Amino acid sequence: MPVESPEEHETNRKGQALFSMFIADQGWTATKIAEDYGRDFDVEVFRDHQTTGVAFSVQLKSSLAPDYSARGEFISQQLKRRHALLFAKEMQHPILLVIADVVGRRLFWAAPQIDSTLLAELNLQNGAKSHTIRVPTANELPSSKDRMIEALKNIATVLAVRLLMNVTMPEFATAIRGHADPEVLSENLRDKSDH
């Protein structure tokens, strides 16, 4: 892991403080991950002091001057290809990319696992060493919190479909034995597949 300059360290500290304040204001929990291997925090969502069962990871990118588009509709965030692949295709639980504008004291989020533009770009196999994610400024926190929760539900569905498509028939049969009525499951999967 590269050593941060004092300015980078201070910027990251301010971004973490901004993110931690958002988490505390929501009554959620965030656990800082000691070693950064693509995730900075694990977050659990609470409502009325009760867990909702919604949990996700966060990769936090803090900046003094995020790369806002000319019309301010999005922030461009460069990711090394290996990180883009990890976030979009390899993580087996929900992860969000959160941009902290430490000067403007603003937070924005993106969901790489359901970002069709990023996924298409990663599928090109064009030898690119980095990829750009466009983080919509409409996804500012806390005002877009409910939309973020919906995105997390969509991510969970996408991850379940990916897992289902990659599991062998014997593994699938063993895993569901005793957990689902085979006829109901068959009809349900067929209906979803037909849709």
Side-chain angles (χ1 to χ4, degrees):
M1 187 162 64
V3 177
E4 295 179 342
S5 71
E7 182 181 28
E8 287 173 321
H9 179 75
E10 182 67 12
T11 300
N12 287 336
R13 188 187 64 72
K14 287 179 179 177
Q16 289 173 15
L18 191 60
F19 180 70
S20 295
M21 186 181 307
F22 162 73
I23 294 294
D25 287 348
Q26 304 314 307
W28 300 354
T29 63
T31 304
K32 176 82 172 104
I33 298 171
E35 295 293 328
D36 181 358
Y37 294 109
R39 297 178 6 231
D40 291 312
F41 294 93
D42 284 331
V43 178
E44 187 172 358
V45 176
F46 287 77
R47 186 179 306 117
D48 300 323
H49 307 290
Q50 301 292 321
T51 185
T52 62
V54 176
F56 60 99
S57 293
V58 166
Q59 173 66 36
L60 181 66
K61 297 286 188 182
S62 302
S63 176
L64 294 172
D67 188 8
Y68 287 96
S69 64
R71 292 175 29 186
E73 296 172 336
F74 61 86
I75 298 168
S76 294
Q77 179 63 52
Q78 286 286 119
L79 293 176
K80 292 179 184 172
R81 180 172 177 83
R82 64 186 162 98
H83 288 128
L85 281 167
L86 175 67
F87 299 155
K89 299 178 92 172
E90 296 169 0
M91 293 290 287
Q92 295 183 20
H93 65 275
I95 185 165
L96 297 178
L97 176 66
V98 175
I99 306 298
D101 176 347
V102 298
V103 173
R105 300 189 54 77
R106 301 170 77 188
L107 294 171
F108 306 92
W109 61 273
Q113 291 160 313
I114 55 174
D115 182 334
S116 56
T117 302
L118 176 62
L119 290 163
E121 190 177 315
L122 288 168
N123 287 335
L124 289 177
Q125 300 293 329
N126 60 7
K129 292 184 174 23
S130 66
H131 298 275
T132 301
I133 292 182
R134 288 184 169 187
V135 180
T137 53
N139 288 355
E140 186 168 4
L141 293 170
S143 61
S144 67
K145 175 186 70 169
D146 292 338
R147 194 167 60 255
M148 183 181 80
I149 298 296
E150 283 304 310
L152 289 165
K153 291 177 183 175
N154 291 340
I155 292 168
T157 301
V158 167
L159 294 176
V161 169
R162 286 182 190 173
L163 181 62
L164 185 60
M165 290 176 64
N166 289 316
V167 71
T168 66
M169 292 303 283
E171 291 170 328
F172 179 73
T174 300
I176 65 163
R177 190 171 294 125
H179 295 284
D181 179 315
E183 288 181 30
V184 173
L185 177 63
S186 178
E187 183 178 333
N188 197 303
L189 288 174
R190 187 174 42 254
D191 289 348
K192 285 180 173 55
S193 176
D194 289 346
H195 183 71

